[in-house]
Every structure is written in structure tokens, then in C-alpha cells.
Amino acid sequence: MSDAGMPSIAALRRSIATGASAADEALALQRDAFERGAAVHRCVVERATDSRPVAHAPLSGIAMAHKDVFGTGLRAAGQGRPEGAAADAVTSPPSAPLRRLSEHGATYLGALVMAEYACGATAENPHFPAPLNPLDPAAAVGGSSSGSAVAVAAGLCRASLGTDTAGSVRIPASTCGVVGFKPGAGVIDAGGVSQLAPSLDTVGVVARSVSDAAHVFAALLPDEAPMAQRLLSLDGIEEDLSRHRRWRVASALDQPDLRDDVASRLGAFESRATSHAVAWHRASLHGLDELSCLAQIVLHVEAAATHAHSVRHALGSLAPITQAILLPGWAVPAAWYRHACEARAGWRDAFVTRHLAQTDVLLLPSLPRGVPDAQAVTTTSDCFDPRELVALHHYHAFVNYLGLPSLSFPIGTDARGRPVCIQAIGAPGTEAELLAFGHQFAAPTGAPSVPAARTAHRARTPLH
């Protein structure tokens, strides 16, 4: 995996600030890369109309495309449906996350493909051509923020917003070898963002590096937040990420369901990390199965309520995988859902006390069986293997139920050359620490960027 050939957000900011590059020319290169890659990787639903960069803003000259759950003010979110937003009257303002990015100068490139109604851990959506994994066309692309992961990994943009309800940012990021960041519950204003299961939904960031994810996350925070203030400084985010720390780590990487080559790579990561002044101890994940069941109850019931109209009036038009998420919620006893909601705070407190009270991060595998073949997790395929599908979300859904922040990032490749990723989980309010940990230990991310992104800046110093 390589991140060469495409400037980071920090490098672009520096180049524009020093006059080595012009924001409009930087945007032209990014648009060109986006246009060229869109057709190749089948990850774009709709391209935005051209716009000029906002002058003198932290993200001026930075362009991004996002999962199709964010209304723009000119276009309602399509949510992975074939009719998209065409039938919706445009009367609402842009969603809060896109408004924050715009206020900080970021340019919107367009909407990206996703699983229908954000249902499912893969890119399976019969209404659209399947997006291709830039690292390996035969490999699966996780979901539901599938287009975000593909666009970022392919170099169509440095970063993309998605939503994560049961791993829907971290899973696709892991399949494509890029960074997936899910902040804690309620940290980012999700006003105007299409919902699936409101108490689990979290706006997250897919990015080519942890540094890029940190810059985008900082732009989404309220102005008074410390990270938002540091974004105003040209090098503030980079300085915070690079500050020396002695990490206290609880590791639960050694799980029984690991494939051998994945286990070997995780073991090598542990050896490397412990040699870099990390205080390390083993952790046991007691209660994971019960937590996962509670998360599934909440997901099914809330998803069924959110999309009740579609279930009642358009069930036949819904993809089988969407029906599999929505229909069980109609059969779950109300007492089960009530218990899952009432028990959540107690489970969260117990989990934090057990695993995070004396440590900075808890490490888990992201994909214990590695990145599967696309056909192995496509439910309509003759090669479908339900074990592979379950493995995609096994270590993710419970994190949303507990409302904790989590960061997935690559640490290397397996025997097939596909990415191996880990997941770092933190206590509430530790988003900045998680990002700093990932910045220190993540491997280079993503596939080589598309040819247009490797073009030197016209008549100016090349970006690097």
C-alpha cells in the first residue's frame, strides 16, 4: 500500500499558505482526479457543479466527496435508492456536517455510492453497479459507506464523510486499506443527515491518513472545541498528532476467530508497538456476544421505525439485504428494545472501567478473517459464505451501542496482499488521543492515486 503521489491536507494547506500553489489550481487537479477515477471505480452517484474556493479559510483548496446521506441544500440525500433525490423537493438547508466543512473552506465534489438506506456491511446494492476495491478488484468493499472508502483509497479525494451505525465507516475503510474514524456519540452535529438507527448513527470520516482524518474532524467540531481552535493554526493539528506520548495499551488482538496470516500480522504489530515505549497488557473481551446482541436489537428496531413507510408501501422495491435489516425490527418485542436501551449506560460504564480506566486505548482486530472476496459476502452469489459476512461487523457494532470513539487503520498486508487493520477504541471524549495513537502507528494507506493526482502542479513547485 502506498500513499505516494497525492498531497496530504496538511501539505496542501502549507503549499497554498506559502504561495507555492494557488487554491483554485489545487482544486482543478483534485477535480480532474475525481472525474477520471469516478468512471473507473464506479463510486460516484452525482457530481457537484463547479464552485470557487473560499479564500482565507483553513480548508480552502481542499475538495471532498461524501456518502449520499448528506443533503447539500441544492440536492437532497439519495440514500442509495435508485430514484435518488430527484423526487424530493429541495427546501431544507445543507446538513450540519457539510455546512461546517463549507464554513472552513472545503469544496464539495459530489455524492458517493452506498448501501441502500445504509443497510448492510458490504457494498451490495442491486440498484447500482458494485464499486471496485482499488487494491484488488476481486476483494470485497465494505459498507455501508462503500463509495467513501473506494474514492479515498483510489485517490479521488483525500477524505470523505460517511455514517457509522454498526461499523459502516470502519468496515469499508478496512477493506480498502484506509483510515476509518468514528467519534463518540453526539460529538458531531448530525443535523440534516439521513438516519438509519438514530441512537447508533454517528457521522464519521474516511481518510487516506490519520492526519487527514484529524483535519476533517476538527472542522466538524464546534468553534470553541480545542481541536477546532488548533485547526486555525497552519501546523496546529500536525503538532498535536506528533507530540511524544508514552501509550498505555490494552490489547485484545489475540482473538480465537483470526485467520492465521492475519494473526501473524497482528502479532508483528504488537512486537513493533511494544518496542516503541508502549505500556502493554492483555485484555479479555467478556460479554462481547451479549453486547453484540443488544446492538442488533437496537439497530433492527430503530431501522424499522425510521423506514416504516418504505416497508409498508415499497417493500418489493427494497433490496434483500435492506429487508433483512428492516423487517426483523417489526418482530422484536418492545420489552427487548426497552431493556437494551435501559441497560446501555451500565454496560458502557462497566466496559470503560474494565478496559479504559487505566489505559489510553483498547486494541481489537478490525476484520479477523481479513478482507474477503466480494463474492463471498454478496448474498445473491453462489459463493456466499455467511461466516465471512458476520466477520466483517463482529468487532464493530457493539462500539456504536456503547457510544465510544473508535479508529481503524491499516498496519500491513496479509498473505494475499490485502490490508490488515486494527481498531483502537477509547473512552468518551478521547478522540484526539485516538487520532494521535493512530498517527504514530498506522501504515501508509490506500492504493496509488489516479494518474491525474500524480501530475505536478502547473508552473509551480510540486506538492508533496
Side-chain angles (χ1 to χ4, degrees), residues 38-262:
V40 174
H41 298 286
R42 306 192 304 223
C43 58
V44 178
V45 174
E46 185 168 295
R47 296 163 178 80
T49 56
D50 197 13
S51 61
R52 300 286 297 176
V54 178
H56 310 300
L59 298 183
S60 179
I62 310 299
M64 288 176 270
H66 308 294
K67 183 179 184 177
D68 199 9
V69 293
F70 300 95
T72 67
L74 297 176
R75 176 184 181 276
Q79 301 188 72
R81 289 287 292 163
E83 67 270 19
D88 294 327
V90 181
T91 57
S92 59
S95 57
L98 293 197
R99 185 175 66 250
R100 290 294 297 170
L101 290 180
S102 178
E103 289 169 354
H104 282 85
T107 296
Y108 176 70
L109 287 173
L112 302 173
V113 299
M114 56 180 283
E116 184 182 50
Y117 286 148
C119 291
T122 73
E124 185 175 348
N125 186 337
H127 307 306
F128 296 92
L132 297 178
N133 191 320
L135 301 181
D136 180 350
V141 174
S144 60
S145 306
S146 46
S148 295
V150 170
V152 169
L156 276 64
C157 52
R158 286 290 326 182
S160 172
L161 297 186
T163 50
D164 192 310
T165 304
S168 287
V169 160
R170 292 160 290 155
I171 295 168
S174 296
T175 61
C176 294
V178 291
V179 172
F181 180 52
K182 186 199 86 67
V187 172
I188 294 176
D189 181 359
V193 180
S194 299
Q195 296 179 327
L196 176 61
S199 76
L200 303 174
D201 295 343
T202 309
V203 174
V205 183
V206 179
R208 285 182 70 89
S209 71
V210 176
S211 169
D212 289 337
H215 277 81
V216 175
F217 172 61
L220 298 174
L221 294 171
D223 290 337
E224 64 273 13
M227 276 194 73
Q229 292 293 312
R230 294 295 282 161
L231 180 68
L232 301 178
S233 167
L234 184 60
D235 296 310
I237 296 294
E238 294 295 297
E239 291 171 353
D240 289 349
L241 291 174
S242 302
R243 185 176 300 127
H244 177 74
R245 292 170 172 85
R246 178 176 174 82
W247 298 102
R248 303 170 302 163
V249 178
S251 175
L253 293 174
D254 187 15
Q255 294 297 316
D257 55 347
L258 298 178
R259 203 178 65 215
D260 288 346
D261 57 338
V262 174

Side-chain angles (χ1 to χ4, degrees), residues 183-185 187 348-349 351-352 356 402-405 425-431 433:
V187 172
R348 179 175 58 248
D349 292 346
F351 188 91
V352 170
L356 296 164
L402 298 178
L404 301 177
I425 299 171
T430 61
E431 285 82 4
E433 289 75 14

Side-chain angles (χ1 to χ4, degrees), residues 428-455:
T430 61
E431 285 82 4
E433 289 75 14
L434 280 181
L435 290 164
F437 180 85
H439 182 70
Q440 181 172 346
F441 291 109
T445 62
S449 53
V450 295
R454 288 198 287 267
T455 304

Side-chain angles (χ1 to χ4, degrees), residues 310-375:
S310 292
V311 173
R312 289 192 182 101
H313 302 289
L315 182 62
S317 73
L318 298 178
I321 191 68
T322 307
Q323 295 184 32
I325 298 295
L326 302 184
L327 290 178
W330 293 68
V332 173
W336 290 16
Y337 175 68
R338 185 168 57 251
H339 167 73
C341 293
E342 292 172 348
R344 185 182 304 197
W347 274 102
R348 179 175 58 248
D349 292 346
F351 188 91
V352 170
T353 298
R354 181 178 181 85
H355 297 297
L356 296 164
Q358 303 299 321
T359 60
D360 301 306
V361 296
L362 168 68
L363 300 184
L364 294 174
S366 185
L367 305 179
R369 297 172 64 90
V371 180
D373 289 340
Q375 293 302 305

